[in-house]
């Protein structure tokens, strides 16, 4: 036993002695390992931070309750309250529903909600307070807006309420007067938990509910204690609970699959681990090769192979402990440092800034990487011990270099380089490759970022609805548009009225001979034979909201349209998009790539011109009106495209409501033929898409273009490219540094010998310093020039 302990001590002592004597090597290994641990720790912290932040954000939208008992009876209520695994529970009671088409508006219940249910739902007041007596009521903002009471806080409001909804069409409504004491933030549209929303949009006291009638239904919101999720299965199987149990959208399993950046960070961690293993294996294997004579000497003295492996294991253990400790601390500190930028990237404040679970995961992950690196490096030791005899000496082909004609620092450096031309060229090429990698990555990332911004500007990062091609469709109702605008994650809803069932043409004969309009007519002839300069097809786009019109007025080439003009409906903007040259001729609606090619732009039409617009009202009658053009919208560059259609779609006029009156068209005012839903970048995490599509089913048949999905894909591609390319560039640079360091270390003896000769010849120290400086500057300059040439060559080839 004592002998084995002694051997063990020898192995440990030899490992410690090796680390003390080879400080440069130790620092090199530690630096790489610490960097890998630091980056992996940051990755785990960011992933955990994102998960917790978006879970909390979802709770803010959907509430933190996890299940709801619909139409709970007294037995179910008692069973929940007595269950030790239920952390929180709250109840709501429904007394009636606002009179009207209940199945058209399923969010019109009037009832009570206790304090616990209010907190579980994370409901908030926009203004005012909750009711305190039987004559007060608090209602959702959207409901108040639809009733016309949005600005009546503190005043009396009159409501028609049906006490029962089982046969609502047979019930006589009760007319009651309440004082509006509070306005509640909208929540029903996001609580879409069942086919019948039985949650109160109007909250009263119990006495206020008794004015309506008896309690119709009672619902309970419940949340289990942490780690007790199985209680829900027990409740569903319970004989005491016979009611329906529905699940909230805030369930964790629905969150993690949809969180942005999460898969990106997972990929980053895997890449860091792989790159770190490669670099560590190269460095450790080089160290083992450098000690080849040492290993053979120990083997000759009788040391077993497993003992040598044990020495390397001690070395790995020391590096592992030190690098993980420093890397984990450094990773947490760096994460704290970049947290403001990280929060700006995800658009939310991080809830859980430091996660101990992430710290433990990062430590285990880092330890695994270092262990794998040393395990693979040990294979090199096995190969050395199997090889016998001395290596054959390398043949050296000495050749006489050119004579030094001038004894200057640069001439001496160039003379030395002649004897190692291939080696120096390789070193310069390695440095140039780092420059090329960094430059290419920066330019590509900038291009992808610009493309993403342009795509969002053109599409709004959302959904485009139109009913123009759907037979007998009046369009999308204003009420439906209001509902869409309330969905969490929707930034705005832009609405446009179009000539869905009315054919408009414009007489451009005053501009005959104009190259631009000649090509417009030629393009129309592809689609209809009777196309002519005196009745060019015209798309009419009606806008009645100033926020939507601002998109166009910001880029007016001529003229002016004020907010008052928009409110009066008296404006007409002529949009003349560029015509792009193609194989078939000049066509409208240029794509992003085509926009860089040659195109025609109209210049003769001016603001203030009168254009004759005609409309075939029937087979016998034709309406004609002269319309004054208040502004000209010429899209001269891609960034100025402002059409609701991505890229624009031919000549069109953007008009106010008075335009339709000119042609006695009144059926379009309550409907929108085109609706553009602009959503925020994190909307996929908020189930925005699911809510939008669910609400579209209620609207009816519409043509839907989903630009949000494509935007999310482009966004992830950008972040993946930046992250992965950045990590690749970082670890490639480290690898280049290691290779160069090893090559320069191999030259160290030759360099020292040359310097000793120079000193013996009486060379001043200042001259030697200049030589080293010249060598560094020369290598850096040649690397930058070479990298620039290679980078330019790559982009020239790419452009071709």
């Amino acid at each position: 036993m004592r002998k084995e302990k002694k051997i063990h001590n020898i192995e440990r002592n030899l490992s410690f002695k090796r680390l003390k004597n080879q400080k440069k090597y130790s620092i090199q290994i530690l630096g790489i390992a610490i960097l890998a641990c630091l980056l992996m720790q940051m990755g785990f912290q960011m992933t955990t931070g994102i998960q917790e932040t978006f879970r909390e954000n979802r709770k803010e939208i959907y509430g933190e309750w996890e299940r709801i008992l619909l139409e709970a009876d007294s037995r179910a209520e008692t069973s929940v309250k007595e269950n030790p695994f239920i952390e929180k529970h709250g109840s709501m009671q429904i007394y009636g529903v606002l009179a009207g088409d209940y199945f058209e508006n399923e969010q019109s219940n009037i009832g009570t909600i206790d304090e616990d249910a209010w907190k579980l739902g994370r409901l908030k007041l926009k203004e005012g307070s909750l009711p305190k007596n039987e004559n007060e009521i608090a209602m959702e903002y959207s409901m108040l807006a639809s009733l016309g009471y949005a600005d009546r806080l503190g005043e009396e409001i009159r409501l028609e309420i049906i006490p029962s909804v089982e046969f609502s069409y047979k019930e006589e409504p009760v007319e009651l007067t309440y004082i509006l004491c509070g306005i509640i933030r909208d929540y029903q549209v996001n609580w879409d938990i069942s086919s019948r929303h039985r949650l109160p949009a109007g909250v009263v006291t119990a006495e206020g509910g008794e004015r309506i009638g008896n309690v119709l239904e009672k619902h309970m919101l419940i949340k289990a204690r942490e780690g007790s999720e199985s209680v829900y299965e027990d409740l569903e199987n319970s004989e005491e609970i016979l009611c329906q149990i529905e699940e909230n959208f805030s369930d964790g399993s629905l969150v993690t699959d949809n969180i942005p950046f999460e898969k990106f960070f997972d990929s980053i961690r895997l890449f860091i681990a792989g790159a770190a293993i490669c670099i560590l294996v190269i460095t450790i294997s080089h160290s083992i090769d450098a000690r080849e004579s040492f290993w053979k000497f120990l083997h000759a003295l009788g040391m077993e192979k497993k003992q040598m492996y044990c020495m390397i294991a001690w070395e790995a253990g020391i590096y592992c402990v030190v690098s993980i400790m420093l890397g984990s601390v450094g990773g947490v500190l760096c994460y704290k440092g970049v947290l403001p930028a990280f929060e700006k990237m995800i658009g939310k404040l991080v809830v859980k800034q430091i996660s101990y679970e992430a710290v433990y995961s990062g430590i285990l992950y880092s330890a695994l990487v270092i262990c794998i690196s040393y395990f693979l490096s040990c294979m090199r030791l096995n190969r050395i011990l199997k090889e016998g005899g001395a290596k054959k000496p390398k043949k050296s082909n000495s050749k006489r270099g050119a004579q030094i004609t001038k004894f200057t620092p640069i001439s001496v450096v160039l003379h030395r380089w002649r004897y190692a031309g291939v080696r120096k060229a390789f070193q310069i090429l390695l440095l140039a490759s780092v420059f090329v990698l960094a430059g290419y990555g920066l330019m590509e990332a900038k291009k992808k970022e610009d493309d993403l911004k342009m795509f969002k500007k053109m599409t709004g990062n959302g959904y485009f609805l139109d009913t123009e091609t759907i037979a007998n469709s009046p369009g999308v109702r204003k009420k439906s548009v209001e509902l869409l605008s309330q969905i969490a994650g929707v930034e705005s809803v832009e609405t446009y009225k179009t000539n869905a069932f009315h054919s408009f043409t414009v007489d451009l004969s005053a501009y005959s001979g104009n190259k631009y309009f000649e090509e417009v007519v030629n393009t129309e002839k592809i689609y209809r034979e009777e196309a002519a300069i005196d009745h060019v097809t015209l798309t009419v786009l009606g806008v009645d909201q100033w926020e939507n019109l601002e998109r166009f007025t910001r880029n007016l080439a001529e003229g002016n349209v004020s907010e008052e003009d928009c409110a009066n409906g008296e404006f007409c903007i002529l949009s003349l998009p560029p015509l792009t040259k193609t194989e078939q001729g000049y066509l409208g609606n240029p794509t992003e790539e085509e926009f860089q090619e040659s195109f025609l732009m109209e210049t003769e039409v001016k603001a203030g011109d009168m254009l004759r617009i005609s409309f075939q009202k029937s087979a016998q009658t034709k309406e004609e009106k002269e319309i004054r053009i208040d502004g000209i919208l010429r899209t001269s560059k891609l960034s100025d495209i402002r059409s609701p259609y991505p890229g624009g779609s031919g000549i069109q006029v953007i008009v106010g409501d008075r335009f339709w009156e000119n042609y006695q068209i009144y059926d379009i005012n309550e409907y929108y033929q085109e609706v553009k839903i602009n959503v925020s970048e994190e909307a996929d995490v908020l189930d925005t898409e699911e809510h939008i599509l669910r609400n579209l089913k209620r609207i009816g048949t519409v043509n839907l273009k989903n630009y949000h999905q494509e935007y999310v894909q482009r966004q992830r591609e950008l972040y993946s490219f930046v992250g992965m390319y950045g990590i690749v560039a970082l670890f490639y640079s480290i690898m280049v540094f290691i290779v160069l360091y090893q090559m320069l270390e191999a030259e160290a003896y030759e360099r020292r010998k040359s310097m000793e000769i120079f000193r013996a010849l009486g060379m001043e120290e200042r001259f030697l310093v200049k030589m080293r400086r010249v060598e560094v500057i020369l290598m850096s300059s040649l690397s930058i020039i070479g990298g620039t040439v290679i980078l330019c060559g790559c982009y020239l080839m790419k452009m071709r």
Side-chain angles (χ1 to χ4, degrees):
M1 294 295 293
R2 187 176 297 175
K3 184 178 180 182
E4 290 179 2
K5 187 175 180 181
K6 187 177 180 182
I7 292 174
H8 178 73
N9 288 338
I10 289 174
E11 295 157 0
R12 184 187 62 189
N13 292 337
L14 285 173
S15 296
F16 274 103
K17 189 175 181 181
R18 158 71 180 167
L19 297 179
K20 289 179 182 178
N21 294 337
Q22 300 292 327
K23 291 180 181 176
K24 286 185 179 180
Y25 164 77
S26 301
I27 292 172
Q28 190 176 351
I29 292 287
L30 274 175
I32 298 166
I34 289 171
L35 180 62
C37 296
L38 184 148
L39 292 173
M40 285 186 283
Q41 186 63 240
M42 283 184 66
F44 276 104
Q45 291 292 341
M46 287 180 174
T47 303
T48 307
I50 286 177
Q51 288 176 348
E52 293 301 322
T53 299
F54 280 95
R55 281 197 183 99
E56 187 65 23
N57 190 71
R58 289 170 65 90
K59 288 179 182 178
E60 195 68 25
I61 293 171
Y62 302 111
E64 59 185 87
W65 55 278
E66 294 165 354
R67 296 291 193 281
I68 185 171
L69 276 64
L70 296 171
E71 302 182 30
D73 56 17
S74 58
R75 287 193 304 171
E77 186 177 1
T78 303
S79 179
V80 167
K81 289 181 178 179
E82 293 178 352
N83 194 306
F85 300 106
I86 299 296
E87 181 184 351
K88 297 178 183 177
H89 56 80
S91 62
M92 297 174 290
Q93 298 179 108
I94 306 302
Y95 285 86
V97 61
L98 292 176
D101 188 352
Y102 176 73
F103 293 98
E104 184 64 30
N105 182 10
E106 298 174 342
Q107 303 172 18
S108 56
N109 300 288
I110 307 297
T112 64
I113 181 168
D114 65 18
E115 186 179 355
D116 293 326
W118 181 271
K119 289 179 180 178
L120 277 172
R122 296 215 180 173
L123 306 181
K124 294 180 181 178
L125 286 163
K126 290 171 70 72
E127 294 181 79
S129 61
L130 289 174
K132 297 181 177 63
N133 58 61
E134 63 180 19
N135 296 317
E136 292 183 336
I137 187 171
M139 295 189 73
E140 265 195 311
Y141 176 76
S142 58
M143 182 60 66
L144 289 169
S146 63
L147 295 172
Y149 295 148
D151 55 351
R152 300 282 294 276
L153 184 66
E155 301 179 21
E156 284 190 352
I157 60 173
R158 189 176 297 276
L159 303 175
E160 289 187 347
I161 303 173
I162 299 174
S164 171
V165 295
E166 187 174 358
F167 300 103
S168 60
Y169 58 90
K170 294 182 179 180
E171 294 289 339
E172 288 295 326
V174 177
E175 190 173 283
L176 297 172
T177 300
Y178 288 96
I179 296 175
L180 182 63
C181 63
I183 300 176
I184 307 172
R185 182 193 67 177
D186 293 334
Y187 60 90
Q188 293 259 10
V189 72
N190 299 309
W191 278 29
D192 200 1
I193 60 168
S194 67
S195 59
R196 297 288 292 274
H197 310 305
R198 305 312 304 276
L199 309 174
V203 177
V204 295
T205 62
E207 294 78 14
E210 289 171 2
R211 292 177 62 193
I212 303 170
N214 297 323
V215 176
L216 299 177
E217 294 173 357
K218 185 171 186 175
H219 312 305
M220 292 191 71
L221 300 177
I222 58 177
K223 179 183 178 183
R225 296 186 184 279
E226 190 173 352
S228 304
E229 290 79 7
S230 60
V231 70
Y232 299 126
E233 187 177 346
D234 298 335
L235 292 176
E236 289 174 354
N237 298 328
S238 172
E239 296 180 357
E240 299 294 320
I241 298 179
L242 304 177
C243 63
Q244 184 180 358
I245 301 178
E246 292 286 348
E247 185 177 354
N248 186 10
F249 279 110
S250 61
D251 179 62
S253 62
L254 295 174
V255 181
T256 53
D257 293 338
N258 227 4
I259 289 180
F261 311 109
E262 186 174 34
K263 292 182 180 178
F264 163 67
F265 282 120
D266 289 342
S267 302
I268 286 292
R269 285 200 300 269
L270 286 173
F271 180 81
I272 291 171
I277 289 171
C278 292
I279 296 173
L280 286 171
V281 167
I282 290 172
T283 309
I284 298 166
S285 298
H286 175 75
S287 170
I288 291 174
D289 285 341
R291 290 180 281 173
E292 181 177 353
S293 57
F294 174 71
W295 301 120
K296 289 182 177 179
F297 177 71
L298 292 178
H299 188 61
L301 290 176
M303 181 174 280
E304 297 180 1
K305 190 185 296 184
K306 64 179 182 181
Q307 292 175 289
M308 298 181 196
Y309 288 146
C310 191
M311 287 175 59
I312 296 177
W314 268 103
E315 183 180 315
I318 295 166
Y319 286 134
C320 188
V321 171
V322 176
S323 60
I324 286 175
M325 287 176 60
L326 296 177
S328 298
V329 173
V332 170
L333 292 177
C334 288
Y335 171 67
K336 290 281 286 183
V338 302
L339 198 57
F342 181 57
E343 289 174 336
K344 188 175 181 181
M345 183 176 73
I346 65 174
K348 301 208 169 286
L349 294 176
V350 175
V351 176
K352 198 171 185 179
Q353 295 193 347
I354 299 297
S355 170
Y356 293 105
E357 181 184 350
V359 171
Y360 302 143
S361 301
I363 288 172
L364 292 174
Y365 204 69
S366 302
L368 183 64
V369 167
I370 295 173
C371 291
I372 291 174
S373 302
Y374 268 91
F375 174 77
L376 295 175
S377 301
C378 285
M379 297 170 64
R380 183 59 191 162
L381 174 61
N382 184 51
R383 202 174 297 116
I384 289 173
L385 295 177
K386 282 183 178 180
E387 293 174 357
K391 290 183 179 179
K392 293 181 180 180
K394 294 181 180 179
K395 293 182 179 180
S396 59
N397 295 322
S398 60
K399 58 180 181 178
R400 185 178 178 182
Q403 300 289 332
I404 302 178
T405 56
K406 292 184 180 180
F407 206 72
T408 60
I410 190 168
S411 63
V412 175
V413 169
L414 291 175
H415 182 77
R416 285 175 53 197
W417 280 17
R418 290 192 185 98
Y419 291 93
V422 175
R423 185 172 59 194
K424 284 298 173 184
F426 182 67
Q427 292 174 5
I428 292 169
L429 187 62
L430 282 176
L431 287 173
S433 66
V434 173
F435 179 81
V436 170
L437 194 68
Y440 184 82
L442 286 172
M443 286 190 280
E444 283 295 305
K446 185 68 171 61
K447 183 178 181 299
K448 289 179 181 292
E449 185 183 16
D450 291 342
D451 290 345
L452 186 69
K453 288 179 180 177
M454 187 56 57
F455 184 84
K456 184 176 182 181
K457 184 178 289 187
M458 293 167 64
T459 65
N461 175 23
Y463 305 82
F464 188 75
L465 320 177
D466 78 82
T467 59
E468 187 172 352
T469 58
I470 300 173
N472 302 320
S473 174
V476 182
R477 295 184 307 166
K478 285 186 176 181
K479 190 175 181 181
S480 300
V481 170
E482 290 176 3
L483 190 64
L484 289 168
S485 66
Q486 297 167 28
I487 296 173
V490 173
E491 291 183 337
S492 63
V493 178
E494 298 176 3
T495 51
Y496 305 97
K497 302 164 184 174
T498 62
N499 52 319
F501 303 103
H502 313 290
S503 176
F504 287 89
T505 61
V506 58
D507 184 356
L508 297 173
S509 55
Y511 306 98
S512 59
N514 182 286
K515 177 67 174 174
Y516 179 85
F517 290 118
E518 280 183 5
E519 294 299 338
V520 168
V521 175
N522 291 335
T523 301
E524 286 203 10
K525 285 181 178 178
I526 299 174
Y527 305 103
R528 58 190 190 93
E529 294 179 358
E530 68 276 13
I533 193 71
D534 58 341
H535 54 278
V536 174
T537 302
L538 185 69
T539 301
V540 182
L541 191 71
V543 181
D544 58 7
Q545 298 180 34
W546 175 247
E547 310 86 70
N548 297 345
L549 185 60
E550 278 186 303
R551 309 173 65 242
F552 304 101
T553 56
R554 284 195 207 101
N555 293 316
L556 282 183
E558 294 178 43
N560 181 48
V561 177
S562 66
E563 192 169 356
E564 290 73 24
D565 296 332
C566 179
N568 296 330
E570 296 178 347
F571 65 89
C572 181
I573 301 171
L574 181 64
S575 177
L576 299 169
L579 298 179
T580 309
K581 190 173 184 179
T582 65
E583 292 180 358
Q584 294 81 22
Y586 284 91
L587 297 175
N589 192 19
T591 65
E592 197 168 322
E593 292 77 18
E594 292 170 340
F595 214 97
Q596 309 304 324
E597 304 297 328
S598 60
F599 56 81
L600 282 177
M601 178 61 65
E602 170 55 40
T603 58
E604 290 186 17
V605 183
K606 305 293 182 185
D609 287 2
M610 301 295 291
L611 295 183
R612 181 170 293 279
I613 296 175
S614 61
F615 158 53
Q616 194 74 34
K617 195 166 186 179
S618 65
Q620 293 77 25
T621 60
K622 182 179 181 181
E623 293 281 346
E624 289 190 354
K625 295 285 181 180
E626 277 199 341
I627 303 295
R628 182 182 185 276
I629 302 302
D630 300 302
I632 304 293
L633 181 64
R634 292 190 178 95
T635 305
S636 58
K637 55 186 178 182
L638 195 60
S639 60
D640 286 340
I641 290 178
R642 291 289 171 181
S643 170
Y645 308 98
S649 58
I651 296 176
Q652 62 182 358
V653 287
I654 302 154
V655 300
D657 290 336
R658 293 292 178 87
F659 175 87
W660 309 103
E661 293 178 6
N662 291 330
Y663 295 91
Q664 291 79 48
I665 301 173
Y666 303 104
D667 58 343
I668 200 171
N669 290 332
E670 295 301 317
Y671 294 88
Y672 301 104
Q673 272 67 44
E674 292 170 6
V675 178
K676 186 175 179 182
I677 307 169
N678 302 313
V679 300
S680 58
E681 294 188 6
E682 69 272 14
D684 55 328
V685 183
L686 307 177
D687 293 324
T688 299
E689 183 170 351
E690 188 174 352
H691 285 313
I692 288 174
L693 297 178
R694 185 183 290 112
N695 279 284
L696 289 180
K697 290 180 182 178
R698 300 173 184 171
I699 292 173
T701 306
V702 294
N703 295 322
L704 172 66
K705 295 179 182 178
N706 187 344
Y707 297 112
H708 178 63
Q709 188 174 359
E710 185 177 350
Y711 178 83
V712 170
Q713 182 62 31
R714 290 189 180 207
Q715 185 190 52
R716 287 175 178 169
E717 287 176 0
L718 170 64
Y719 290 138
S720 297
F721 175 82
V722 172
M724 294 297 289
Y725 203 91
I727 297 298
V728 168
L730 176 64
F731 276 86
Y732 180 79
S733 301
I734 293 172
M735 194 176 298
V736 168
F737 169 78
I738 291 170
V739 173
L740 286 175
Y741 177 81
Q742 291 172 356
M743 292 179 72
L744 294 173
E745 279 289 302
E747 296 175 0
Y749 175 76
E750 180 184 341
R751 190 182 296 107
R752 283 194 297 269
K753 188 175 179 181
S754 300
M755 294 303 175
E756 288 174 2
I757 294 172
F758 287 144
R759 288 189 182 94
L761 292 173
M763 191 74 66
E764 295 181 5
E765 191 67 31
R766 187 171 53 184
F767 188 86
L768 301 178
V769 171
K770 285 183 179 180
M771 279 179 57
R772 287 194 290 270
R773 191 181 301 161
V774 165
E775 189 168 8
V776 172
I777 293 172
L778 202 57
M779 283 189 68
S780 302
S781 302
L782 290 173
S783 301
I784 292 172
I785 293 169
T788 304
V789 171
I790 295 171
L791 198 60
C792 293
C794 290
Y795 269 91
L796 286 173
M797 291 176 65
K798 190 175 180 180
M799 288 174 66
R800 288 180 181 178

